[in-house]
Amino acid sequence: MAGLLSGSIGTLLRAFGGLTCGQEGLRCCSSIICPFGSTVRWFTNTTGPDNRPKRPLSAYIRFVKEKQPLLKKQYPDMRLLDRTKSIAQSWKELSDSEKRTYEEAADKERQVYKVELNAYKTQLSGVQIGAMQEAMRQRRAKRKKMRQKRELTVLGKPKGPRSAFNIFMAEHFQDASGNFVTGKMKSLCDDWKKLPVSQKQPYVQLAEDDKIRYENEMKSWEEQMIEVGREDLIRFKKRKMLKKPRAARKQKTTEKSATKTPNKSETHSPSASSAKTEKNLRTIKSEE
């Protein structure tokens, strides 16, 4: 049940992504404004939970944090996405001298961060440094995975097939009991388990049809990726099939070279020469 529940929650959150972004958007828009224009630390906290210095913000993010509250106050009904687009356009229109103010402030914070980070690392043991490096490796892997996912979305990779339970969940989610997503998911999971096999069959058939849809769309998409030279994006099994004809051609060439006709040195071997000499002697005796 736990595996089914966790997998379905991911599907549901992708379908209803807008339900969980409100608080995160507000958190991203929070900022610290200094009315006197003095240099302040542009961090939510000076240090992290393990007393590690927080990484400073870039020049552009400093500009965003400065403009967000002003736009929100001036246009309270404006959506977060529209505010972000407006700020991005304003940043593009800034002159180099205006941008330099933010860049210089970011550089100063970066220098302070480097000093504080070096001081922090000197207090760590070998085990702690190893754990920190592992955490950094995991963050880099996560960012790489997100970039790859965005790339596949831009390239139009078809969405994966839905399971029978996912189809059932999407159909009955609004009417499910429970106040939160997890409560509704638990209720739907229990309902699915109690559902007779005969009533599950339509959802199973829809899932099979979705698999066929996915395979057809993936076949067309992978052909397009091969045409544009992105064989690295197609499935491993398909890549293996692409390499197979080349291997078959190599094997055919090997067999051909093994069964080739003998060369001149093999044709004029001593045994062949003696046989020819005996034939000539027999011809001369018959003429005599």
Side-chain angles (χ1 to χ4, degrees):
M1 176 178 175
L4 184 62
L5 186 61
S6 61
S8 302
I9 286 177
T11 304
L12 185 65
L13 290 178
R14 286 193 296 272
F16 302 95
L19 297 177
T20 58
C21 64
Q23 294 180 352
E24 185 65 24
L26 292 175
R27 191 180 304 115
C28 292
C29 297
S30 62
S31 63
I32 301 173
I33 303 177
C34 179
F36 304 105
S38 59
T39 56
V40 294
R41 295 303 297 266
W42 288 67
F43 310 136
T44 50
N45 294 312
T46 304
T47 58
D50 55 351
N51 294 326
R52 181 181 178 182
K54 287 287 185 179
R55 186 182 295 275
L57 302 179
S58 65
Y60 173 68
I61 299 301
R62 291 171 68 90
F63 178 76
V64 170
K65 282 185 169 288
E66 180 183 294
K67 298 299 180 183
Q68 276 281 12
L70 301 177
L71 272 179
K72 189 175 181 181
K73 185 177 179 179
Q74 188 176 2
Y75 305 102
D77 298 330
M78 183 183 284
R79 296 185 306 166
L80 174 62
L81 180 61
D82 293 334
R83 286 202 304 268
T84 304
K85 288 181 178 179
S86 176
I87 293 171
Q89 184 62 32
S90 299
W91 174 260
K92 287 181 181 179
E93 294 172 356
L94 284 181
S95 62
D96 293 340
S97 59
E98 290 173 323
K99 285 184 180 179
R100 196 175 300 116
T101 304
Y102 297 94
E103 291 169 353
E104 289 175 355
D107 289 338
K108 288 179 182 178
E109 291 292 341
R110 200 174 296 115
Q111 296 300 325
V112 174
Y113 168 75
K114 288 180 179 179
V115 174
E116 292 180 352
L117 183 61
N118 290 333
Y120 169 76
K121 286 182 178 180
T122 57
Q123 302 173 2
L124 299 179
S125 64
V127 176
Q128 290 173 322
I129 292 175
M132 187 173 67
Q133 291 174 346
E134 176 62 21
M136 291 176 63
R137 187 194 66 79
Q138 291 179 1
R139 285 197 296 271
R140 285 195 296 266
K142 187 177 180 180
R143 286 197 295 268
K144 182 180 178 182
K145 190 175 181 180
M146 290 176 64
R147 286 196 299 269
Q148 290 174 343
K149 189 175 180 180
R150 284 197 296 267
E151 181 185 22
L152 293 176
T153 302
V154 171
L155 291 172
K157 184 178 181 181
K159 291 184 178 180
R162 296 184 299 169
S163 66
F165 173 71
N166 285 336
I167 298 172
F168 170 81
M169 174 200 64
E171 185 176 321
H172 296 87
F173 179 79
Q174 296 296 338
D175 301 328
S177 59
N179 297 326
F180 301 100
V181 174
T182 52
K184 286 179 177 289
M185 290 298 305
K186 189 176 184 303
S187 174
L188 287 170
C189 192
D190 293 338
D191 293 344
W192 176 257
K193 283 188 172 184
K194 296 174 184 176
L195 203 67
V197 177
S198 59
Q199 295 183 22
K200 285 183 179 179
Q201 188 58 36
Y203 299 103
V204 173
Q205 184 59 48
L206 288 172
E208 291 296 326
D209 294 342
D210 202 38
K211 282 183 182 178
I212 296 172
R213 183 272 313 165
Y214 173 71
E215 286 299 327
N216 290 335
E217 291 182 357
M218 278 297 294
K219 183 178 179 181
S220 175
W221 183 77
E222 286 176 334
E223 287 175 354
Q224 294 176 6
M225 293 300 102
I226 293 171
E227 288 178 2
V228 298
R230 292 304 304 271
E231 291 87 351
D232 58 302
L233 297 179
I234 67 178
R235 290 169 289 185
F236 177 74
K237 194 177 288 186
K238 296 290 183 181
R239 288 204 302 268
K240 209 171 179 182
M241 291 176 64
L242 284 174
K243 294 178 181 179
K244 200 170 183 179
R246 191 183 300 171
R249 287 197 300 269
K250 188 176 180 181
Q251 184 179 359
K252 188 176 180 180
T253 305
T254 306
E255 292 175 354
K256 188 176 179 180
S257 61
T259 57
K260 66 179 181 178
T261 55
N263 54 28
K264 291 183 179 181
S265 60
E266 294 172 345
T267 304
H268 296 284
S269 60
S271 58
S273 178
S274 60
K276 188 175 181 180
T277 303
E278 290 177 358
K279 184 178 179 181
N280 292 336
L281 288 174
R282 285 196 299 271
T283 304
I284 293 171
K285 286 182 180 179
S286 63
E287 288 176 356
E288 291 177 352

